[in-house]
Structures are given as structure tokens and as C-alpha cells.
Amino acid sequence: MEASWRQVASGRGRARGRATAAPSSGNGAHLRSAGGGREKGSVGAAGLGPIPGGAATSAAAELMSQKKFEEIKKANQAAAKKLVEEHLNSSSEEEGDEDFEGKRGKIVANTFITYTTQTDGDVRELERTKQYVNEAFQAGAMTCLICIASVKRNQAVWSCSGCFCIFHMPCIQKWAKDSQFLVSSPLTDDDFGKRDYPWPCPKCRFEYKRSDTPSRYYCYCGKVEDPPLDPWLVPHSCGQVCERDFKPPCGHKCLLLCHPGPCPPCPKMVTTTCYCKKAKPIPRRCSAKEWSCHLPCGRKLLCGQHKCENPCHAGGCPPCPRVSRQKCVCGKQVAERSCASPLWHCDQVCGKILPCGNHTCEQVCHVGACGECPRSGKRFCPCQKSKFSLPCTEDVPTCGDSCDKVLECGIHRCSQRCHRGPCETCRQEVEKHCRCGKHTKRMPCHKPYLCETKCVKMRDCQKHQCRRKCCPGNCPPCDQNCGRTLGCRNHKCPSVCHRGSCYPCPETVDVKCNCGNTKVTVPCGRERTTRPPKCKEQCSRPPTCHHTSQEKHRCHFGSCPPCHQPCRKVLEKCGHLCPAPCHDQALIKQTGRHQPSGPWEQPSEPAFIQTALPCPPCQVPIPMECLGKHEVSPLPCHTVGPYSCRRVCGRTLDCQNHTCMKECHKVTEFDSCTDKNKAGPECLQCEEGCSKSRPPGCPHPCVLPCHPGECPPCVHMLRVKCHCKITSLYVECRKITTADVNEKNLLSCCKNQCPKELPCGHRCKEMCHPGECPFNCNQKVKLRCPCKRIKKELQCNKVRENQISIDCDITCKEMKRKASEIKEAEAKAALEEEKRRQQAELEAFENRLKGRRKKNRKRDEVAVELTLWQKYKYYLFPVCAVVVLVFAWYIANGVD
């Protein structure tokens, strides 16, 4: 039951989203295209074919495909959820839009009310201007008829000065360029560019010059170039006073702010009289300054006999409506005719004798004299070569010369003698070209020659061939219908076949609300993308549930929204009233539908079934106590009965240390038991060990199970090290844990001498003890002088405290002096030896440079005298070594 109610809730949300989004077909199409685009895009990533490489590779590819599918599915669900939420909130937005439209309508009405509040204001003249202003404020109301798209606030536009229709700037520029090209394309190169060919407005066909082709974006009044976008002004307006001249011109200028459409009638007040000038002048609107006093006109008519009896009117008086007997121009007949046409002609020949006296006038009833006889004076012969002066009673004779008139062929002349009447046809045989110039033939000159060749040139529409036989090249315009589908996609072009773009569809379509009381007129083709108008009427459909009346809501398309009134049916089990929303027409999502096998497969939309659901379980709260008597909670009426609160039981067990950890359950209570918190037979039995804290220092657990009261003393033996860490001792645990510091020190003592060393290096003389050893060493140590010759025995602690020191005597100092003298003598001898060696090497080097012979080198060598050190050094080394050893032995024995 709960699952079905969740399905109902989700179905209502989706149904509400569909019902709200039904009038806006554009949004739904956009959502579907966005979803489709994402799914198609995912095929490239996840919809690849299987990659060879074993079961592991195919499994990885399948896992990746499933992951991509889940991501795309979540994205689509999030987009659908967002759209549904937007439509769920559309009711408040629609109310806000309606309030805004009402305020905007009041502002526009107040703007134009000053044009009609005074005498004879014409409201009908203002409707056209109001319509343009309202369309400028409405988003998507203004449409470019060339591209059949909405004109937005931030787009450059151009307005026709004839019909005031608004077009996109790029659209009208392309239209003008194409129109001029199509008009001038049949011309030759010599004529091209010499004439200024106009281009027409796509709607009203008003023609503009080439120089009038729009190249810059101006506001409606033409004062400001590229007007900035201001949300507080009419779109594409500069916000300044219009100041355009009224049409028809009256000398005043428009006082509205820069606006689309035609300027309204002139609102200025002027003092004027009526048409017949009989009434007194009165103040009136300049746009309605001509008025009638409704008195008889009284002006004399054209007949000159009667006066105009019509009421005071504009313009000239009508013709006289009366009838009178009037003679014709020649005066032979009299007839009853309208007084407004006194001159008329009868159908008789004049018949008056001409001045020659021999002939009569042959003209039909005419005005004035008949004139001279047409046969009087000098006359030419039939060939016009000779002139004769003869009476009017005689005919002009022929002159006998050749006729020589050009025959009908226009090439040859008449070869007969001067004759009366027309010349005969030309019978000469000539080589004639056909009219198209492709064939020749010898034939009589008077006969035309037309071949059977059909013209293959394209007509001016550049779509159809001429197909006329023997066409001279001036192919006639195409006489077929265009028949191309217009931009509206509803009608076909009714014009004759032409080049270039067809004119926009002139038809308009009414987009109505569901009830038809509200409508908006849009250009043909925009009805598919235009949202139906918001109707302020209430929906009049009867309710589909058990309620007598449905909730009030506005006129809409599609099915009515679900009823949200409380059900209020009496429940059978408990008698309470059902508080749930009406569920007579609930939407249940179908289950078991086909699931898409991958992201490449288009998922089908969920299907819902409309059905009546039973009333949900009663949710009236009734207080109930849980089984363990922990709390009293209000439970829904349909679930009243013993229940568990899901808490831990918490009753104290027999061990008095733990509580029952079972979930809230029934406990049998006995009358003899006064403790309400004591565990019952249904509670758990404690099976844990004793967890009470042990005495400080005792590491052993209690040997008893979990029990009440104190634990028994610990009798375990502990193995401990003595203070010197050499001997292991065994002591009872309870003695250690209950002893104080002194007793613990005694228990840990092994009764042996301490094996630790003092800082001086001697062993501690104390018995095994804790802590640091005392520093009171009295052992004898030897102390020497700095030269190690004198030595004495002293106590260790006094030597460590630097209380006694031994200095060198005179003998020590004399031995030091002798040793230093020997070292200096050795150093001096070594230095002299080094100098002699260097001098010998220098002299030898100089001798080599002089190039002396080897035999003479011995003669020139300088005899070097050996020093005492060089002579006796081999004897002095052993003697010095013996002296040093004796001195060292003496020092060592003297110290000891």
C-alpha cells in the first residue's frame, strides 16, 4: 500500500509537470532534443564495438558501458526533474505575469487616454499604435516576416515607414540586395548601374530607392544611432520625444516618447468651424478639426439652377439629383435627363450642307460649325507623287507613274502603276531566316517563316524553359505559378514564378486559449512556436472525482490538475475521516516495462495508469506504551498494539554489574518484586568474567566469574629482579601490592655487594640497594707530575676533587732544556744541509748550460767540505736513542 502511494505521489508530480508544460510545446521539444543529443553523444564513447582481447577486455568494456549508461540516465533524470519543478512553480509565476500584464495595460491606457478625453477623440485611430506598443513590450510578440523569428530586445532592427513592420537588420539588408540584383540582372553590362532600381518592403510593397537601403541601426524616431538597451524603455527606443510630423501633415509633431508603429492622431486643440462655414468656431482636436454642423449645405450646384440639400459635408457637392428635359448638342432631339449632365450627344448624322454647296456634313451630333469640305483645295494622286487642283465634285485621277510604295514586307516596293486602293501583297521569292535565326528557306516574301525548333532559354524565373517555337530571343515572362512553400510552412506562393525569395506570407493566425475566449493574432507560421495566451477565465470542466466541485483554476490545455481537496471519506475500521488528498484519479506508474540494454538505446518514457486507490491507512495518533515500558509514543491508528521502541532493555542483571542488552522486549513482573528495574526471566543471563578493577600493581584477573561484592586476595607468585638486576626473587602478589616503599625495597634486595661502578672506575662497596651509588671512594691511586718523572699515592676522592697536585722540580726542568737544545741543533743542521744541496744543484745546472765536456766537468767541480753532522750523524743517532730511553725509564720509575 505504501509503495502504491509513493507511486501516486511521483505520478502526480509528473502529471502536474505535463499538464503545466502542455501549452508550451517549445520547452518540451527542447527537453527532448537535449536528452536525445546527450544520448547520441554517448554512443561515440560507450557504444563502441567489442574489442578483441579476451574475456577481461570485454568485461571491462561492458562495465564502462554500464557506467556511461548510468551517468547519462542520471543526467536525463536531473534535467526532467528540474523542468518539472519549474512547471510546478509556474502557477505563481503566471499570476505574477498576469499582474504585470495588467499593470502594463493600465500604463498604456493611461498614456493614450489624453487623446480621447476631450471632444470627438477617435479611439479607433489609436488601436494600431497601441497594438505596436503592446507587441514591443511582449516577449516574442514582434516577428520578422523574412526569417519568421522573434525580434529580441538586443537585436538591430529596421522599421518600414509605410506599414511600420519591424525586420532584423541583416534580413532586410539581404532582402534589399537580392531585390535590386533580381531587377537589374536582365540588363546588359552597359545599362547596369546607370539606373537607381528600387527595392520593395516585404510586407506592404512600398518601394525604396537604392540609397535608402538601411546600413545603420537607428531608434524608431531616427535620432539616435545604436540606441542602448534600457529595461525601463520600449525596446529599440531612445527615450526622447518622437517629434515626427503627423500624417496627414498638420504642422504639429508627435509628443509621445520614441515609439514603434504609426504616430497617433494629432492631440493638439485648435479652433475651427464646420465644412459649410455657417456654425461658430469651436475648439477641437487637430486630428478631428473638420466637422459637420448637420445643417443643409445650400451651395449652388453645377447645373446652376438648384442648391445642395445635403447636410454640411466635406469636399465638393455631389451632382444634382433632379431630372429635366434637355436638348442634345445638335438640337435635333429632346429627352428627360439628369440635371447634373446637361450636355449630351444623339446618334444622328449632322447632315448640314457644307460651304461648297455640293456635300453635307457626315459627322455625328457635334458642337460648333461643320468646317470646310474635305475635297476642296489641292489634292494628291493615290501614289502621292502628283498634286491636282480640281473642283470638289471631281475625283483625282491617277498620274501614270509607278506606285513605288513600300509593301507590307517593309523591304520591297509596289511595281504597279499609280492606283487606288491598297497595294497587293509582295510575291518575290527571297532567302528568309526564321524568327529565331537558326534556319533559312527560299519562299515568297509576304509569307512569314517560323521553324519548329523550340526555345531552350530559361525564362526570367530561371527555372522553366521558354519552349516557344522559333522564339526570337525575347522570351515572355514565366506564366506558371511559383508554388513554393512560404516561410510559414502552411501556404504556397501564389505569385507568378519568379526568382529570389518569395514575399512573406500575408496571412495571420489567431492563437487561442483552450476555451477560445482569449486569443492573440500572430503572423502565419508563428502559431507553432507562440505560446497560447493566458486566459483569465475559470476552468468550467466538471469534476472527475467524488467531490461536488473542483478546485478553482484558470483555463488551460490538457487534463485538469489532480484534485488536492481532502478525501473526507469515513474509514470503516476506526471511523475517522480520511485526511489524504483526493485519490479517485491517481496516476500509477506501470512496472515490468522494458529496460534499455545500453546508452545507445532510446529509453522509453514511463507510462502511468489512471485509477482509483483505496483510502490510505488511518494516521490519527494514539498514545501507546512500549513493551519494556520505556516511553509512551503516539502511534498511527492502523498500527495500534504492543510494540518495541528499539531501545536497549537496560534492566540490572543478577550480577549487579551489567544490564540486559536485548532490544526492548516483554518482561514478566512478579508481585513480590518491588524493584521495577530488576531483570526478569526473559532477560539475558550474565556469562562474562569478573571485570572489577584489581589492586594497583596486580596484573592477574579475578579467578571467579562475574559476581557481586569484593574479589578475593591474589595468591600468585611474582618473579621480580633485585636492585642490582642480577638475582631473580619470588614474592607473593598480595605482599607486593600491599607493601609500602621501604618494604618493597627490602623485598627486592638480594643481600649481595653492589656490582655497579663508580664514576672513578672503582666498584661500589655498598650492599644491593636502589637508586644511584654514593660517591665516597677511598681507594689509593698514583699521581704524577706534568713531565711524568715524579709519582705519589693518594686517595681517589681527593684526586677527583682536584684538592692535591704535583709540580715538576729543578731536575725535570733541566732535562726539558737539554732535550729542546738537541732538537734545535738537529733543525739547524738540517737547514744548512738543505742549503748546500740546493747550491750544488744550481752550480751543476749552470755548468750544463755552458756546454762543457764531460771530462772537464770533474776538473771544474768545487770540493764541498763536509760538516760535523754529515761526518758523525751515523754515530750520533744511536747515542741520542739511548739517552731518550734512559730519560723515559727514569721518569716512569720516579712517578711510581
Side-chain angles (χ1 to χ4, degrees):
M1 181 63 70
E2 294 180 357
S4 63
W5 274 96
R6 284 196 293 268
Q7 292 177 356
V8 170
S10 61
R12 278 186 177 149
R14 294 184 177 89
R16 189 182 299 109
R18 288 197 299 271
T20 309
S24 178
S25 59
N27 292 339
H30 175 70
L31 177 61
R32 287 192 295 273
S33 64
R38 285 192 293 268
E39 291 181 0
K40 292 178 181 177
S42 65
V43 174
L48 301 176
I51 303 174
T57 306
S58 61
E62 184 178 358
L63 183 62
M64 183 178 295
S65 300
Q66 184 65 23
K67 185 177 180 181
K68 291 284 186 182
F69 172 73
E70 294 296 334
E71 292 177 356
I72 296 171
K73 183 177 179 182
K74 290 180 181 179
N76 289 340
Q77 289 177 353
K81 183 178 180 181
K82 181 178 180 182
L83 181 63
V84 169
E85 290 176 355
E86 291 177 356
H87 288 307
L88 288 177
N89 299 328
S90 62
S91 58
S92 59
E93 293 177 358
E94 290 179 357
E95 292 177 0
D97 293 343
E98 292 172 1
D99 296 340
F100 176 73
E101 290 178 358
K103 293 179 181 178
R104 183 178 63 200
K106 291 180 181 178
I107 293 174
V108 175
N110 292 334
T111 302
F112 291 100
I113 195 171
T114 56
Y115 287 79
T116 57
T117 52
Q118 299 189 18
T119 308
D120 292 336
D122 191 0
V123 181
R124 293 174 297 176
E125 296 293 334
L126 300 175
E127 292 301 327
R128 192 177 178 192
T129 305
K130 286 184 180 180
Q131 181 182 359
Y132 276 96
V133 174
N134 285 326
E135 288 180 355
F137 279 114
Q138 295 177 2
M142 290 193 299
T143 305
C144 176
L145 296 181
I146 298 177
C147 62
I148 314 296
S150 298
V151 177
K152 298 181 179 179
R153 290 174 173 263
N154 57 350
Q155 293 176 335
V157 297
W158 176 83
S159 177
C160 176
S161 59
C163 61
F164 303 98
C165 188
I166 296 176
F167 305 92
H168 291 124
M169 182 65 72
C171 295
I172 195 64
Q173 288 175 344
K174 184 177 183 301
W175 177 273
K177 184 178 179 181
D178 294 346
S179 300
Q180 293 171 1
F181 175 76
L182 294 177
V183 172
S184 59
S185 58
L187 302 178
T188 60
D189 295 338
D190 297 334
D191 296 334
F192 185 78
K194 294 183 179 179
R195 293 181 58 188
D196 187 8
Y197 292 98
W199 56 274
C201 170
K203 183 178 181 182
C204 65
R205 311 295 196 272
F206 183 80
E207 292 188 348
Y208 292 89
K209 297 180 181 179
R210 182 192 294 270
S211 58
D212 295 335
T213 303
S215 60
R216 296 182 179 180
Y217 168 40
Y218 287 94
C219 62
Y220 297 114
C221 64
K223 294 180 181 178
V224 179
E225 182 180 354
D226 294 331
L229 179 62
D230 192 340
W232 299 102
L233 296 176
V234 178
H236 317 292
S237 171
C238 64
Q240 303 179 20
V241 179
C242 178
E243 293 185 349
R244 287 186 289 183
D245 293 333
F246 287 109
K247 293 181 181 180
C250 63
H252 302 128
K253 296 182 181 295
C254 180
L255 301 179
L256 289 178
L257 299 183
C258 182
H259 62 89
C263 294
C266 181
K268 292 284 186 179
M269 298 299 295
V270 295
T271 302
T272 59
T273 184
C274 63
Y275 297 113
C276 64
K277 313 297 182 183
K278 293 180 180 180
K280 293 181 179 181
I282 60 174
R284 293 180 61 86
R285 294 279 185 184
C286 181
S287 59
K289 61 184 177 181
E290 296 180 353
W291 60 286
S292 173
C293 63
H294 301 291
L295 297 176
C297 178
R299 285 182 286 185
K300 187 170 287 188
L301 301 177
L302 295 177
C303 64
Q305 298 178 4
H306 309 102
K307 293 182 178 181
C308 180
E309 298 177 355
N310 291 335
C312 179
H313 59 85
C317 295
C320 183
R322 297 189 179 183
V323 178
S324 61
R325 293 181 63 81
Q326 300 176 5
K327 291 183 179 182
C328 66
V329 174
C330 64
K332 291 183 179 181
Q333 292 185 3
V334 178
E336 289 187 355
R337 292 182 56 83
S338 173
C339 190
S341 56
L343 298 178
W344 64 286
H345 300 268
C346 64
D347 55 354
Q348 295 184 7
V349 180
C350 178
K352 293 181 181 180
I353 297 175
L354 297 177
C356 65
N358 299 321
H359 301 93
T360 58
C361 179
E362 296 180 356
Q363 297 182 20
V364 182
C365 179
H366 62 86
V367 182
C370 295
E372 297 293 333
C373 179
R375 296 170 63 87
S376 61
K378 293 183 179 182
R379 291 176 285 170
F380 287 95
C381 65
C383 67
Q384 301 294 321
K385 291 182 179 180
S386 301
K387 188 181 291 186
F388 299 92
S389 296
L390 297 173
C392 64
T393 55
E394 296 183 7
D395 295 332
V396 177
T398 57
C399 64
D401 197 355
S402 61
C403 179
D404 234 8
K405 291 181 180 179
V406 179
L407 298 178
E408 293 180 356
C409 65
I411 301 174
H412 306 103
R413 294 181 178 272
C414 181
S415 60
Q416 294 182 358
R417 295 287 181 180
C418 180
H419 61 87
R420 292 183 178 87
C423 298
E424 62 180 4
T425 56
C426 182
R427 300 186 180 276
Q428 295 189 27
E429 286 192 359
V430 293
E431 191 79 17
K432 296 193 71 173
H433 289 271
C434 64
R435 189 167 57 180
C436 65
K438 296 181 179 180
H439 305 279
T440 58
K441 184 178 181 181
R442 192 164 187 82
M443 59 185 305
C445 184
H446 70 279
K447 292 184 179 180
Y449 176 37
L450 300 177
C451 68
E452 297 296 325
T453 303
K454 292 184 179 181
C455 181
V456 295
K457 291 183 179 180
M458 302 298 291
R459 297 195 179 186
D460 57 351
C461 65
Q462 298 297 321
K463 295 180 182 179
H464 305 105
Q465 292 182 344
C466 177
R467 307 302 294 170
R468 190 173 59 163
K469 290 184 179 180
C470 197
C471 179
N474 56 343
C475 301
C478 185
D479 55 355
Q480 300 186 28
N481 289 333
C482 176
R484 287 186 292 180
T485 303
L486 299 178
C488 65
R489 305 296 179 185
N490 296 328
H491 305 97
K492 294 186 177 181
C493 180
S495 304
V496 178
C497 188
H498 58 87
R499 286 191 297 170
S501 302
C502 299
Y503 281 97
C505 181
E507 302 292 334
T508 58
V509 180
D510 291 338
V511 179
K512 299 181 179 181
C513 66
N514 188 35
C515 65
N517 293 331
T518 307
K519 64 180 181 179
V520 59
T521 303
V522 297
C524 183
R526 288 284 294 174
E527 69 276 3
R528 289 185 289 271
T529 57
T530 302
R531 295 183 60 180
K534 297 173 183 177
C535 182
K536 297 182 179 180
E537 301 293 332
Q538 297 292 335
C539 180
S540 58
R541 298 180 184 178
T544 58
C545 59
H546 67 278
H547 293 101
T548 57
S549 61
Q550 63 176 349
E551 294 176 312
K552 292 184 179 180
H553 57 279
R554 300 289 176 84
C555 172
H556 59 88
F557 287 91
S559 57
C560 291
C563 179
H564 297 287
Q565 302 180 65
C567 177
R568 310 303 294 174
K569 290 182 179 179
V570 179
L571 301 177
E572 298 180 355
K573 295 182 178 180
C574 60
H576 297 124
L577 297 179
C578 178
C582 181
H583 44 82
D584 288 348
Q585 300 290 333
L587 293 177
I588 301 291
K589 183 179 179 181
Q590 283 186 339
T591 58
R593 294 176 60 85
H594 173 68
Q595 296 296 330
S597 58
W600 53 86
E601 184 177 349
Q602 184 74 16
S604 59
E605 295 183 359
F608 294 88
I609 302 175
Q610 193 174 35
T611 181
L613 294 178
C615 292
C618 182
Q619 301 293 332
V620 175
I622 296 178
M624 285 294 295
E625 188 177 24
C626 67
L627 294 172
K629 298 183 179 182
H630 300 107
E631 63 179 18
V632 176
S633 300
L635 297 181
C637 180
H638 70 283
T639 60
V640 170
Y643 75 100
S644 173
C645 64
R646 306 292 181 182
R647 297 182 184 178
V648 178
C649 177
R651 292 175 178 263
T652 305
L653 300 179
D654 295 337
C655 66
Q656 303 296 321
N657 297 322
H658 302 93
T659 58
C660 179
M661 301 303 295
K662 290 178 66 176
E663 190 178 292
C664 178
H665 59 91
K666 183 179 180 182
V667 180
T668 304
E669 296 182 355
F670 301 97
D671 297 338
S672 60
C673 183
T674 58
D675 189 3
K676 299 295 184 183
N677 199 27
K678 187 177 181 181
E682 294 84 3
C683 294
L684 295 174
Q685 299 296 325
C686 184
E687 297 179 355
E688 299 182 5
C690 180
S691 60
K692 293 182 180 181
S693 60
R694 305 296 292 166
C698 179
H700 309 104
C702 181
V703 296
L704 300 178
C706 186
H707 60 88
E710 297 294 333
C711 296
C714 182
V715 295
H716 287 81
M717 298 298 290
L718 291 180
R719 181 182 178 183
V720 295
K721 288 286 186 178
C722 65
H723 298 300
C724 56
K725 307 298 180 183
I726 295 177
T727 307
S728 296
L729 304 176
Y730 291 90
V731 185
E732 288 187 358
C733 180
R734 60 181 177 179
K735 291 182 179 181
I736 292 292
T737 57
T738 58
D740 55 6
V741 177
N742 296 329
E743 291 178 353
K744 287 183 179 180
N745 291 336
L746 293 175
L747 291 175
S748 300
C749 181
C750 61
K751 312 300 182 180
N752 295 324
Q753 182 184 357
C754 180
K756 298 178 183 178
E757 288 186 358
L758 297 176
C760 60
H762 303 117
R763 184 176 176 181
C764 180
K765 301 296 183 178
E766 299 291 333
M767 191 174 57
C768 180
H769 62 87
E772 298 293 334
C773 296
F775 185 64
N776 54 358
C777 183
N778 296 323
Q779 191 171 350
K780 297 291 183 177
V781 295
K782 293 179 181 181
L783 185 65
R784 294 177 182 273
C785 68
C787 65
K788 308 296 183 180
R789 190 181 68 85
I790 303 173
K791 67 176 181 179
K792 293 182 179 181
E793 289 186 357
L794 300 173
Q795 290 184 357
C796 180
N797 55 355
K798 292 182 180 181
V799 174
R800 297 287 295 178
E801 293 175 0
N802 294 325
Q803 295 179 359
I804 300 174
S805 63
I806 300 175
D807 298 329
C808 293
D809 56 3
I810 298 173
T811 306
C812 294
K813 292 179 180 181
E814 184 65 23
M815 292 178 67
K816 288 182 181 179
R817 184 182 63 79
K818 290 180 180 181
S820 62
E821 287 178 357
I822 295 172
K823 289 183 180 180
E824 289 177 0
E826 291 177 354
K828 187 176 180 180
L831 181 61
E832 290 178 357
E833 179 67 21
E834 181 66 22
K835 287 182 180 180
R836 290 190 188 94
R837 186 182 61 79
Q838 291 178 358
Q839 183 66 26
E841 290 179 357
L842 180 61
E843 290 176 357
F845 179 71
E846 288 177 354
N847 293 332
R848 284 196 301 272
L849 292 178
K850 292 177 181 181
R852 294 181 180 180
R853 295 182 179 180
K854 187 176 181 181
K855 63 181 180 179
N856 296 327
R857 289 180 183 176
K858 294 182 179 180
R859 233 183 297 165
D860 297 334
E861 288 179 355
V862 179
V864 180
E865 185 178 358
L866 298 176
T867 61
L868 293 175
W869 171 255
Q870 292 177 345
K871 291 180 180 181
Y872 303 109
K873 62 181 178 180
Y874 299 106
Y875 303 104
L876 290 176
F877 275 122
V879 174
C880 291
V882 171
V883 172
V884 171
L885 291 174
V886 171
F887 181 73
W889 177 82
Y890 176 75
I891 291 173
N893 293 330
V895 173
D896 295 336

